Every structure is written in C-alpha cells, then in structure tokens.
Amino acid sequence: MRDVELSSVGHWSSRQSNEYRTQVRCKGSSSSFDGADAGVSDGSAAKARGAPSPTTFDSRERLQFWRSVLENAAASEVAVNVCLPCFVCAHRAGVWEAPSEAVLSSIVLVLNLVGCFLEGFFKSTRLLSQTMRRSQVANQLVFITSQGVSEGFLNVLTSFPDISGSAATIALSQGTVRGVLYCIAQLLGGIAVYRLGRDVGWSCAQRHWPAVLRFCGFWPIFCRGLVLVSFLAMVVLGPGSSAPPARGGGAVGLAGMEASPGGASSSPSTLPLDLHAPHLQGLANVRIVYDEYTFTVPPLALGLLVGIAMSASGAVVATLFCSMLFPESSRPFARFATNLAATVLTLLAQARVDPSDWRSFVLFKFATSFCGALSAFSGTVGDIVDAYWGSDAEETSVDRVMAKKGWLPLISAAQNLFAHLSLTLAVMFITMASAAVPREIFAVGAASTQLRPWIRDQESFPWHLDAASEV
C-alpha cells in the first residue's frame, strides 16, 4: 500500500494536522475524513473551533451541489441545442435546416467521446479534492464543481438513445455491419478517452492546481451567463411572424415554419431550440391574462424553458437514483437501469406524438432532453473502466441523506460492457424494423425532419401586449 502525497492539492498547517486525521488508501480502498480528533465528538470539536457542525456543513454542501447540477444541466441544454445548431445547421431562406443524418451521427460520436474525456478528468479532480474538502474551501470548490459537471453537464451532453438511433440510420443506409461497428466504436472509444482523461486530470490537479481552481471559480459564472444571455436573446428576438393572432382566438400549437412550395417560409426562424429539429420555434399562442391586459409569451423563450426544465429534471432523477438511493458498488447496475428506462421512454414518446396536439413539442423535448439527461453514457463508461482497472472509493455530497439500498445486483466490468452493448444493438434492430427510413438519408442536404413526420409545423406569433376589450 503506497502513500498518496496530499500536499499538491492543499497544504495542511500544523494546527489542522493536530485537529484532523486523514486516512487515504489507494487502489481498491477508500479515502475518508472524519473531521475531528480521536475521542472528541464532531459537534464539540466543531463548536470549539467556531466552525459549522458536520450536519450544517453537509446541508450547505448539498445545496451547493444541487445548484451546481441544475446550472450545469441548463448550460448543457443551451450549448447542445441552441449554440451548436448555429454552427452545424444551415440557415436558408430564413429557416434553420437540420444537418444530414451522417453529420448527426458524427456529432453524437464526438460529443460522447468528449464527454468521456471530461468525465475521466473530473473524476480525478473529484477524488483528489474529496478528502480535504471539509477543511479547505478550495478543495470543496473543486469537489462540488467536478460533481456538477459530471452529474449535470455531461449527463445532458452524452446520451445512449442517440447512439441507437444513429446506428440504425447507418445500418439502413450502409449496412448492418457498419451500424454494429458504430456502436462498438462508441463504447471502446469512450473507454480509451476516459482513461486519457483520468491521467490528464490527475496530472493537472498535481501540477496545475491554481489553474484548476481558477477554472472551478469561473465555470459557474459562465454557465449562468450562457443561460441568461440565450434566454434574453430569445425574448428580444422572437420569431418574426407577420401577423398577430386574433384576440381571444388561436390554439396553443407547435411554433415552426410554414413551408411554401418554393422552399421559403412565411415567417423566418431566428434561433434554434433543438439540434435534431432546429426549425421548431417553441410553443405559440400561450397567453397570460392579467386584469384587462393579455400577455403573449414569447414562443422561443418558452421553448427554451421547456428544454431546460426537461434536461435539469432528467439529470436530477439520474443523480437521485444512481448516487443517493444506492451505494457506489450498486451504481453500475443502477446506471444501466436508467439507461434502459431512458431508451424505452424515448421510443414510447416518439411513437405517441400527435401532430394535431400542442403537446407535440413537449413530448419531443421529453424524448431528446429529459431522456438524454436521464441516460449517462460518460458515467457508464467510467463505471466500466473503474471496475476493471480499479479506483479509489468515491464520496458524493448526497451520501448521508438516507440509508442506501443494497438490493441491486453487483455486476463486473465485462458484464456491464456486454449489457450496454446488447441494449444498444437491440434498440438499433428494433428501430430498423419499425422505422421506414429512406436509403438515401446520407445524401447531401437531406434534413432529419423529413424522417420525423410527427413534428408539426405551425405558424408562430411574436410577443405582444394587447389591451383586452371591455365586456
């Protein structure tokens, strides 16, 4: 058993060394910190030092943790479904056009691999900062930020249902073998870059600790600013419709582009709301009536709020189920259960969308945002790698909330890998059998919306304030 040098992630003073004892064990063991001298209770020791009690500390840390998860999930929703489409989607005749299925498949692969690298990076920073986070504010900042990025941002960024859909598209257009190889490349490539991320994260925390601290201090500000700027832009810009709705009339609908025979649209789209269907412009004709005034909610802003709510709720549910309800030893199977549930819910949501119902947009965002955040590709890859090569025991901010259940079975790294590969391939074949996808979907300029007839285009209306007529 080798000792781990902790001076690179925070220096202990002689007084702190006398007050605290640290037990750090390497591969296959845990890192623990009790925060009190032997023979002195936690409460009395904290009171003598004038510091908050362990219970108060845990409550504050949990609040910061959940805030970080929500902020990261919201920022990831904006980055993936608003910012990214602006760079990869074509904007012709005032309408956003989805990229071809070939481009979408490549984007899914790149996002999953990048997410696995970041998962490994922040797993290392989380392990190196968890031991002293109760005595060092800097370590607590790194610990909470690392958790928030993994549980919030990366849960939304990476997705299992998208792998199956992209693999089915490749299999239908280029052959089943290439579809299977696409799924295998996702998992094996994720394992390789996760290992690389672990090494890079460990090296940065050891050699560039001030830079890691600066990033962790800047990242929450960046997330809030990105969400706020995007929301304000959608409120100010809004869809450029030419005619307002009749007062008191018009049903809530899916705001989109009314295509003309020449390929133009009657109302231009300003900002995208989803990578797979960037032409959608949110929910139209949603009004708030107050006294004699009627406020029409901006469709884009409301659509963004729906997407953020779906992503944030999916990340929260995944965290509650995988991190708070079950212990670390049962987390691989718990994560497999959430991945399975997310894939099934995606298929059900896509099958039940009614083009004549305004809830089409909500169900569409449920399938893409909620189910995408509920599944965790990067976290699954991390479970496989850590189970095979070993890792220090990991602490979370929600460990002491409730007694964790131990009735989930334990699975090895090979079983976990085989289970997820089987799940992905099964969904790929189901999608191939049920979806009538054209063989020419990889042709240049083919839009993914042509493959999704359940998305309804409807005239959208601008934000306006009307005085209601007196009765």
Side-chain angles (χ1 to χ4, degrees):
M1 183 180 298
R2 59 182 179 88
D3 295 333
V4 176
E5 183 179 1
L6 297 176
S7 59
S8 59
V9 293
H11 296 282
W12 288 68
S13 66
S14 58
R15 177 183 177 186
Q16 289 170 327
S17 299
N18 293 331
E19 291 180 344
Y20 299 93
R21 73 175 183 269
T22 307
Q23 185 181 19
V24 179
R25 290 173 295 180
C26 294
K27 190 174 184 179
S29 60
S30 62
S31 301
S32 62
F33 172 77
D34 56 12
D37 286 332
V40 182
S41 65
D42 291 345
S44 60
K47 183 176 180 181
R49 295 190 301 269
S53 64
T55 303
T56 304
F57 177 88
D58 290 340
S59 300
R60 292 178 181 177
E61 183 180 279
R62 282 194 294 269
L63 290 176
Q64 295 173 1
F65 164 73
W66 287 119
R67 183 179 67 180
S68 180
V69 170
L70 295 176
E71 290 175 350
N72 277 275
S76 186
E77 168 70 20
V78 173
V80 174
N81 289 320
V82 178
C83 299
L84 182 59
C86 292
F87 295 97
V88 300
C89 297
H91 194 256
R92 299 186 180 96
V95 180
W96 288 102
E97 297 180 0
S100 65
E101 293 292 342
V103 175
L104 284 175
S105 300
S106 301
I107 291 174
V108 170
L109 176 61
V110 171
L111 291 181
N112 283 338
L113 293 182
V114 171
C116 290
F117 175 84
L118 295 177
E119 182 77 30
F121 183 94
F122 287 104
K123 176 65 177 287
S124 293
T125 59
R126 190 161 63 248
L127 289 177
L128 287 172
S129 59
Q130 67 181 7
T131 302
M132 293 189 294
R133 74 183 193 274
R134 296 176 180 272
S135 61
Q136 300 284 346
V137 176
N139 284 270
Q140 186 187 38
L141 172 64
V142 174
F143 181 74
I144 292 177
T145 303
S146 300
Q147 285 187 110
V149 173
S150 296
E151 302 289 350
F153 195 91
L154 297 182
N155 269 21
V156 178
L157 184 71
T158 62
S159 173
F160 254 101
D162 288 341
I163 299 176
S164 302
S166 299
T169 299
I170 295 175
L172 286 169
S173 62
Q174 299 185 3
T176 304
V177 175
R178 293 193 177 185
V180 173
L181 291 177
Y182 179 82
C183 296
I184 296 175
Q186 291 268 3
L187 289 170
L188 297 184
I191 290 173
V193 297
Y194 177 85
R195 288 276 296 175
L196 178 62
R198 284 294 306 268
D199 294 338
V200 174
W202 187 275
S203 177
C204 287
Q206 294 281 350
R207 302 177 182 178
H208 307 287
W209 181 250
V212 173
L213 287 179
R214 285 193 296 269
F215 171 83
C216 293
F218 168 77
W219 181 250
I221 300 175
F222 171 79
C223 292
R224 300 165 197 166
L226 180 63
V227 175
L228 180 60
V229 170
S230 300
F231 181 78
L232 292 179
M234 293 187 175
V235 170
V236 173
L237 296 177
S241 171
S242 57
R247 183 174 301 164
V252 176
L254 185 62
M257 299 301 103
E258 190 72 26
S260 62
S265 60
S266 59
S267 57
S269 56
T270 53
L271 290 173
L273 286 176
D274 195 272
L275 177 62
H276 297 275
H279 69 292
L280 297 181
Q281 296 292 283
L283 291 170
N285 298 340
V286 177
R287 298 180 177 86
I288 300 176
V289 179
Y290 177 75
D291 202 1
E292 69 273 14
Y293 296 99
T294 300
F295 299 89
T296 300
V297 180
L300 275 175
L302 182 58
L304 179 62
L305 287 178
V306 172
I308 290 177
M310 291 294 179
S311 292
S313 57
V316 168
V317 171
T319 302
L320 290 175
F321 189 79
C322 297
S323 298
M324 191 175 77
L325 190 58
F326 298 101
E328 184 182 5
S329 59
S330 301
R331 188 178 305 165
F333 192 89
R335 206 157 341 234
F336 172 75
T338 57
N339 291 335
L340 175 62
T343 303
V344 173
L345 290 175
T346 299
L347 297 176
L348 293 177
Q350 292 178 352
R352 294 180 62 87
V353 171
D354 183 4
S356 63
D357 194 343
W358 66 269
R359 289 169 290 188
S360 296
F361 179 80
V362 178
L363 283 176
F364 178 71
K365 294 304 294 182
F366 175 84
T368 59
S369 295
F370 177 85
C371 295
L374 181 63
S375 65
F377 178 79
S378 61
T380 299
V381 170
D383 292 337
I384 295 172
V385 174
D386 293 339
Y388 185 79
W389 277 281
S391 176
D392 292 347
E394 181 182 0
E395 300 176 10
T396 68
S397 297
V398 293
D399 282 340
R400 304 182 184 180
V401 175
M402 58 182 296
K404 297 189 176 185
K405 313 299 180 182
W407 43 265
L408 284 183
L410 305 181
I411 56 177
S412 64
Q415 292 171 334
N416 197 4
L417 177 62
F418 178 78
H420 281 91
L421 180 59
S422 301
L423 171 63
T424 305
L425 294 178
V427 176
M428 182 193 76
F429 287 115
I430 292 174
T431 305
M432 291 171 59
S434 60
V437 183
R439 301 288 294 185
E440 297 82 6
I441 51 180
F442 271 78
V444 177
S448 63
T449 54
Q450 297 174 356
L451 310 178
R452 300 179 175 88
W454 43 270
I455 300 178
R456 179 168 61 98
D457 293 339
Q458 189 179 80
E459 182 71 19
S460 57
F461 303 103
W463 187 21
H464 65 281
L465 171 62
D466 292 335
S469 58
E470 297 182 0
V471 180

